[in-house]
Amino acid sequence: CLGLTLWAPAAAESTAAGLGAGLGGAISDAALPRLEELAAAAEAALPKQLLDERRDADTARRWGDHFVTPLGQEPKSALGDLEEELRLLAVRADGHAGWNLLDGGARQLELRRAELREYLPAAETGAKAELPFLGWRDLGSTFVALAVPLEDDIEVEVRRHGVDGATLWRHVCRRGDAVAWRGWDEHRVLPKPQARRRLLLLEWWAPP
């Protein structure tokens, strides 16, 4: 099962408490390889021409700063028993951040979407470190966004929708960690100079 150890590593910065939740070492050694296998299977299901274009640095940039690959048409079936364990992580993140999105347990989180995201390095997109190279994005009515890094040194930023500066929350996470935020808050993943970064993103909502 997943170990649920909640902590913020020293590399994390927070200037807006409550915007995000850093869950250090949350994914167990047993679960992480299974999630990586799901990511690999999702990529293998893509048309070869599309996959080749994504792997070529000259053609990849036409897709923007990142790729999105759904974890199949039925993500709950693909995840199997991991779906419930990841749901519990999202619930713990809600309590850890003090959001109280579930009305004290009156609502239950349901998986809305699960996908693999691969973020291109600045070298491939032409982004300059001093520029706002990644646009801010929200996830609409998603209650909890839960990201599971598949590589080390992934830096996530979260802010209130459309608000700069003082409301910025930043967290650096490693392979095996998890990080969560509310879907209507804006987020971005900062690119590295050379290496691509991959993570699984799961969106949870809580119908009334």
Side-chain angles (χ1 to χ4, degrees), residues 34 36 49 62 65 68 111 117 119 129 134 136 138 144 157 161 195 202 204-205:
R34 293 176 58 190
E36 291 172 327
Q49 181 180 0
R62 74 179 60 171
D65 50 54
V68 175
L111 185 62
R117 293 195 174 195
Y119 293 85
L134 276 178
W136 292 94
D138 66 65
V144 178
E157 291 184 338
H161 195 285
L202 298 96
W204 306 87
W205 74 310

Side-chain angles (χ1 to χ4, degrees), residues 37-164:
E37 289 173 5
L38 285 173
E43 283 191 307
L46 294 172
K48 184 179 183 302
Q49 181 180 0
L50 174 59
L51 192 57
D52 289 345
E53 287 189 3
R54 289 184 172 188
R55 291 288 164 261
D56 187 288
D58 291 329
T59 58
R61 69 186 65 191
R62 74 179 60 171
W63 299 95
D65 50 54
H66 72 286
F67 309 134
V68 175
T69 305
L71 294 187
Q73 295 183 345
E74 297 292 337
K76 291 184 68 171
S77 298
L79 288 167
D81 60 310
L82 291 177
E83 188 264 344
E84 174 62 12
E85 295 175 353
L86 292 166
R87 187 189 71 83
L88 291 176
L89 261 184
V91 171
R92 294 287 292 268
D94 175 56
H96 184 61
W99 296 326
N100 194 29
L101 300 175
L102 306 180
D103 296 333
R107 291 177 177 233
Q108 294 293 316
L109 288 176
E110 294 184 6
L111 185 62
R112 184 182 189 190
R113 185 179 294 112
E115 58 196 25
L116 169 67
R117 293 195 174 195
E118 182 173 4
Y119 293 85
L120 299 179
E124 292 186 33
T125 62
K128 297 181 180 180
E130 69 273 14
L131 298 177
F133 33 76
L134 276 178
W136 292 94
R137 299 176 176 87
D138 66 65
L139 297 172
S141 58
T142 292
F143 275 53
V144 178
L146 182 73
V148 178
L150 300 181
E151 272 97 21
D152 290 338
D153 195 23
I154 293 182
E155 189 170 2
V156 178
E157 291 184 338
V158 182
R159 72 178 186 183
R160 306 271 184 216
H161 195 285
V163 180
D164 293 317

